[in-house]
Amino acid sequence: MNSEAPEPTKAGLPAHEQVYRDLRDAILFGELEPGEPVTIQGLVARLEAGMTPVREALRRLTAEGALNAMGNRRIVVPVLDVDAVDELSAARQALEPLLARRAATRVTPDDVAELTSIDDRLDHAIERGDVSTYLQENHAFHAKLNQVAEAPILTAMVDGLWLRFGPSLRIVCGQMGTRNLPDRHKDMLVALAKGDADATARAMADDVTQGMDLVRQAVPDQK
Amino acid sequence: MNSEAPEPTKAGLPAHEQVYRDLRDAILFGELEPGEPVTIQGLVARLEAGMTPVREALRRLTAEGALNAMGNRRIVVPVLDVDAVDELSAARQALEPLLARRAATRVTPDDVAELTSIDDRLDHAIERGDVSTYLQENHAFHAKLNQVAEAPILTAMVDGLWLRFGPSLRIVCGQMGTRNLPDRHKDMLVALAKGDADATARAMADDVTQGMDLVRQAVPDQK
DNA sequence: GTCATGGAATTTTGATCATATTTCAGTTTC
DNA sequence: GAAACTGAAATATGATCAAAATTCCATGAC
């Protein structure tokens, strides 16, 4: 046995990649909230990383729209206004049903099984009022579907959209708990199992509508 | 007069921002071609910048899909295959007519004048066989339209798409010259001047179709 | 006398660079 | 053909410099 760091250092991933993933998950699942400033030095301390990797991860996230670079070299978690939510909604409606349609033509029974299992865990999280797990499983459901769709470019675009509304969605869920969190996953699973592309796309469109109606509630009081 | 660098150093923009813009334009308008490897050191030498700014610009561009990060820390200009072009086409069809529609409801006479002027320069470039200027003015036309649409998120998404097919489009234009470069800008200008959102969106959809048919020709021979 | 305003000093944070370390790709050797 | 070698390029660190925000005090108006 060597005396070198025997710590289970994740994988052999570069530091900037690890920082990126940590930060992305923090944005997606709630650690950070809208308006919160994100400082390089703070991240260096929090993640115990060097500043170069942190810096690179930050540039990546801002390019994806997950973070907002103010003019004066300050970076904050985006605060969505009505217009932004409308845009996000339009973009999701334009792309996600497309992906769902593709997924319906490629899905295998194994995929359906996995999606069903994710949805079960999601339901459990709702029952327990576990917001964090709900958000993760909900994301996992859509991520799996996108993976099945085999459209890397469209998927990357949609991932970027999720990153943009993640923090706001978290706020809403945190306020209203997991009750009244409707989703169209059940309809979607049935449609997928039948290979019904139209029905799958329709279910996805509804799911997106419901999701964005939720996000809309996070918009600071309109003036 | 001081002996300090009196060079007309662009604006007071941070180095990483300048490197980003230089590189983005190089990708958009042709200096780089599909498959070409992009090295940090090469850029440091070429742009006379430090490696930290170069590194950050690179992360940003890869996040936007303008560059392709292979698993083994190599970065290359993306080579599009049939599937990628199909995806890009679908994404553009989903988003750009949407933006055009919005633009039609907000456009001012001044905007139409500017768009017309851009389109004139574009026609000139075609006549002269000036591929580089053609690409720039064509991009300027769409960029102006997107600016009028006042939808920063959708615009950012579309910008990313243009970055992805820029190098491939350049190759095709380089091969076939500026002849047979159809565009629907004239129709679009008429529709915009009338404030006809439907017609504007339709013209945009056609323009996208024609553009992507062009890009399709850059796909390496399918096996 | 209190409160607001302006601005200078302080301090926090970001930007950049030079350098050390690590890793990969291509080549040579066995 | 596999393993070791070598060189080049990427990764990562920490120090240094610059810019912005904040604090705090002084001045002046009400």
Side-chain angles (χ1 to χ4, degrees):
Chain A
M1 62 201 74
N2 62 30
S3 57
E4 276 307 305
E7 41 173 337
T9 332
K10 306 291 168 55
L13 290 170
H16 66 83
E17 184 70 30
Q18 285 198 36
V19 171
Y20 167 76
R21 296 189 186 187
D22 281 359
L23 203 44
R24 184 198 51 189
D25 288 353
I27 291 169
L28 217 37
F29 305 129
E31 260 104 301
L32 306 182
E33 65 182 58
E36 184 172 345
V38 177
T39 71
I40 294 178
Q41 321 244 0
L43 256 23
V44 166
R46 167 177 169 174
L47 303 178
E48 295 177 2
M51 49 192 323
T52 308
V54 167
R55 187 162 259 280
E56 291 178 47
L58 246 26
R59 294 279 171 255
R60 221 172 134 182
L61 263 339
T62 54
E64 288 173 335
L67 293 174
N68 212 333
M70 320 301 260
N72 49 0
R73 54 194 199 166
R74 278 300 131 99
I75 296 177
V76 301
V77 179
V79 179
L80 302 182
D81 58 15
V82 183
D83 291 339
V85 177
D86 285 345
E87 276 194 75
L88 288 174
S89 194
R92 289 191 67 191
Q93 289 293 359
L95 300 181
E96 294 195 50
L98 221 60
L99 278 165
R101 189 178 296 277
R102 286 182 65 112
T105 69
R106 288 155 218 261
V107 73
T108 68
D110 278 359
D111 293 329
V112 174
E114 188 172 339
L115 285 166
T116 304
S117 138
I118 292 172
D119 198 45
D120 285 346
R121 287 199 293 278
L122 190 155
D123 287 339
H124 260 105
I126 290 181
E127 283 169 25
R128 286 178 312 178
D130 182 344
V131 171
S132 191
T133 301
Y134 163 78
L135 289 170
Q136 290 189 36
E137 298 296 348
N138 186 41
H139 180 266
F141 186 91
H142 287 259
K144 174 64 185 173
L145 202 67
N146 291 343
Q147 177 207 315
V148 172
E150 288 179 1
I153 297 176
L154 294 171
T155 297
M157 295 174 77
V158 170
D159 282 344
L161 295 173
W162 279 66
L163 239 20
R164 288 182 188 260
F165 64 75
S168 293
L169 180 59
R170 165 63 187 231
I171 289 296
V172 176
C173 291
Q175 288 171 349
M176 64 188 298
T178 55
R179 250 169 251 295
N180 300 34
L181 283 181
D183 68 69
R184 289 308 180 97
H185 296 178
K186 300 287 179 295
D187 305 354
M188 223 180 292
L189 285 169
V190 172
L192 279 168
K194 285 194 293 190
D196 185 339
D198 284 340
T200 306
R202 238 177 296 125
M204 178 59 85
D206 288 347
D207 192 66
V208 169
T209 299
Q210 295 185 346
M212 293 315 283
D213 280 347
L214 220 52
V215 172
R216 221 172 294 272
Q217 298 179 23
V219 171
D221 47 342
Q222 65 295 348
K223 63 162 181 310
Chain B
M1 63 204 74
N2 61 32
S3 58
E4 277 305 306
E7 40 173 337
T9 332
K10 306 292 167 53
L13 290 169
H16 65 82
E17 184 69 32
Q18 285 198 36
V19 171
Y20 167 76
R21 295 188 186 188
D22 281 358
L23 203 45
R24 185 198 51 188
D25 287 353
I27 291 169
L28 216 38
F29 304 129
E31 261 104 299
L32 306 182
E33 64 182 58
E36 184 173 344
V38 176
T39 70
I40 293 178
Q41 317 258 356
L43 257 23
V44 167
R46 167 176 169 174
L47 303 178
E48 294 176 2
M51 50 191 334
T52 307
V54 167
R55 190 163 253 282
E56 290 179 47
L58 245 26
R59 295 279 172 255
R60 219 170 135 183
L61 263 338
T62 54
E64 288 173 336
L67 293 174
N68 212 332
M70 319 303 257
N72 49 359
R73 51 193 197 169
R74 282 296 133 99
I75 296 178
V76 300
V77 180
V79 178
L80 302 182
D81 59 15
V82 183
D83 292 338
V85 177
D86 286 345
E87 275 193 77
L88 288 174
S89 194
R92 289 192 67 192
Q93 290 292 359
L95 300 181
E96 294 196 50
L98 221 59
L99 279 164
R101 188 177 296 277
R102 286 181 65 113
T105 68
R106 288 154 217 260
V107 73
T108 68
D110 278 358
D111 294 328
V112 174
E114 187 173 339
L115 285 166
T116 304
S117 141
I118 293 173
D119 198 44
D120 285 346
R121 288 200 292 278
L122 189 155
D123 287 339
H124 260 105
I126 290 181
E127 282 170 23
R128 287 178 312 177
D130 183 345
V131 172
S132 191
T133 302
Y134 162 77
L135 290 171
Q136 289 188 36
E137 297 297 348
N138 186 42
H139 180 266
F141 186 91
H142 287 261
K144 174 64 186 173
L145 202 67
N146 290 343
Q147 177 208 312
V148 172
E150 288 180 0
I153 297 176
L154 294 171
T155 297
M157 294 174 78
V158 170
D159 282 345
L161 296 172
W162 279 66
L163 240 20
R164 287 183 189 260
F165 66 74
S168 293
L169 180 59
R170 165 62 188 231
I171 288 295
V172 175
C173 292
Q175 288 170 350
M176 64 187 300
T178 54
R179 250 170 249 296
N180 301 36
L181 281 182
D183 68 68
R184 290 308 181 97
H185 296 179
K186 300 289 179 294
D187 306 354
M188 223 179 293
L189 286 170
V190 172
L192 279 168
K194 286 194 294 190
D196 185 339
D198 284 341
T200 306
R202 240 178 295 123
M204 178 60 86
D206 288 346
D207 192 66
V208 168
T209 299
Q210 293 183 348
M212 293 315 282
D213 281 347
L214 220 52
V215 171
R216 221 174 293 273
Q217 296 178 24
V219 170
D221 46 341
Q222 65 296 349
K223 64 165 177 305

